[in-house]
Amino acid sequence: GAGVSQSPSNKVTEKGKDVELRCDPISGHTALYWYRQSLGQGLEFLIYFQGNSAPDKSGLPSDRFSAERTGGSVSTLTIQRTQQEDSAVYLCASSFNSYEQYFGPGTRLTVT
Amino acid sequence: AQSVTQPDIHITVSEGASLELRCNYSYGATPYLFWYVQSPGQGLQLLLKYFSGDTLVQGIKGFEAEFKRSQSSFNLRKPSVHWSDAAEYFCAVAPSGSARQLTFGSGTQLTVLP
């Protein structure tokens, strides 16, 4: 079946602009995660959605970062007033039982 | 706080040779343990996982890993490496009973020589 998809695959933006990154999880998966992968910090957890529960936002690095998940499916990660240190690959994962996470190909964000 | 250490940043092996990638974790209780592989420009693919039971777990692509509680280790092994195994490998942990969020090691880059 179809895996986790993310769009766009690449995004170049100017410092100070807002960006939206999209994640389509595997159908039927109730849990959705966002991670960031950067050279200096490795793989970092950002946010976790489980069903209709309040999301776990404990990994968001600043209030410029937010995410929502509509209808328990598609998720959008928004970064406001982008900074150069936001440049990274943003990975989305989904899970059926919260034990095994399946990752999408990622969105490479470059802030110039 | 839990942490994962992959002491080898880069490993080079010849095709057909055996492979062992090291992973050590620090956690109050036995966590859930995972190995993921990432090929260039790709997302992470789950190779194998350990939750409980038999400490030697088999995964995809001929990989296996052994959980050693006394050493807080979960090393990944393959008896004979193929050129297509060249990639970056990540060990990850999550609190037992849930994989709400994974804590990843820094990764080991594997180069395979012909």
Side-chain angles (χ1 to χ4, degrees):
Chain A
V4 177
S5 61
Q6 293 186 245
S7 61
S9 55
N10 283 283
K11 176 73 176 178
V12 180
T13 189
E14 292 179 352
K15 178 181 173 181
K17 295 286 181 67
D18 298 351
V19 295
E20 288 188 349
L21 312 179
R22 177 188 169 104
C23 172
D24 283 90
I26 295 172
S27 178
H29 280 194
T30 57
L32 187 146
Y33 313 76
W34 284 97
Y35 293 86
R36 178 170 70 176
Q37 185 174 27
S38 57
L39 282 177
Q41 301 299 320
L43 275 154
E44 305 171 277
F45 164 78
L46 295 177
I47 188 169
Y48 159 68
F49 296 89
Q50 173 59 61
N52 295 321
S53 302
D56 177 353
K57 305 179 182 179
S58 60
L60 295 179
S62 78
D63 58 8
R64 296 186 295 105
F65 287 73
S66 62
E68 63 177 20
R69 189 178 184 192
T70 54
S73 181
V74 171
S75 177
T76 302
L77 177 69
T78 301
I79 309 174
Q80 296 178 311
R81 306 181 302 281
T82 52
Q83 303 295 313
Q84 288 189 329
E85 62 262 29
D86 299 334
S87 295
V89 176
Y90 289 82
L91 293 167
C92 176
S94 70
S95 173
F96 172 70
N97 56 15
S98 292
Y99 294 163
E100 301 176 25
Q101 297 181 26
Y102 295 88
F103 284 79
T107 293
R108 181 174 297 278
L109 175 66
T110 302
V111 181
T112 61
Chain B
Q2 59 195 33
S3 65
V4 182
T5 302
Q6 293 180 247
D8 303 305
I9 297 172
H10 194 185
I11 283 184
T12 300
V13 299
S14 298
E15 190 169 19
S18 63
L19 172 70
E20 182 169 27
L21 302 182
R22 296 183 290 165
C23 173
N24 292 92
Y25 66 90
S26 174
Y27 194 66
T30 300
Y32 288 175
L33 298 158
F34 306 83
W35 274 99
Y36 282 86
V37 61
Q38 186 177 35
S39 298
Q42 303 295 314
L44 296 163
Q45 181 181 23
L46 180 65
L47 285 176
L48 46 77
K49 59 189 180 290
Y50 173 79
F51 293 159
S52 65
D54 192 347
T55 57
L56 185 63
V57 294
Q58 303 297 320
I60 62 171
K61 304 185 179 185
F63 285 92
E64 65 178 28
E66 186 172 13
F67 168 62
K68 292 185 177 180
R69 184 190 307 273
S70 61
Q71 299 176 18
S72 297
S73 69
F74 188 57
N75 294 349
L76 182 71
R77 301 194 295 246
K78 187 169 185 177
S80 177
V81 171
H82 188 263
W83 64 266
S84 60
D85 293 325
E88 190 157 21
Y89 292 79
F90 293 91
C91 182
V93 303
S96 58
S98 170
R100 287 177 52 122
Q101 56 175 280
L102 295 170
T103 298
F104 287 90
S106 54
T108 297
Q109 182 68 47
L110 174 66
T111 297
V112 180
L113 300 176

